[in-house]
Amino acid sequence: MTGRIGPGLVGEVFVPIRGGVEAFYAHPSVPDEEIPVGTIIVVVEYSPPRTVYVARAIV
């Protein structure tokens, strides 16, 4: 997580892909959920070309 995610906000996440890292716009998969910067997340859904829906990872 590099940008906070929340209602009305578009965050940013870096996802490891093909031996590198790519940035994606991120929205919460659960409406009204806020996810602060630095939180470990899991990608729930991908919407081309650069949008993902994420949830907090259970660590």
Side-chain angles (χ1 to χ4, degrees):
M1 290 278 316
T2 59
R4 193 182 89 174
I5 296 173
L9 299 174
V10 177
E12 182 183 52
V13 296
F14 288 120
V15 179
I17 296 176
R18 297 182 289 271
V21 178
E22 296 186 19
F24 289 83
Y25 294 119
H27 297 276
S29 62
V30 176
D32 299 328
E33 181 179 24
E34 288 193 26
I35 305 173
V37 172
T39 302
I40 298 173
I41 53 97
V42 76
V43 174
V44 175
E45 187 175 338
Y46 166 69
S47 180
R50 287 260 177 239
T51 302
V52 293
Y53 293 86
V54 300
R56 294 174 192 254
I58 299 173
V59 185

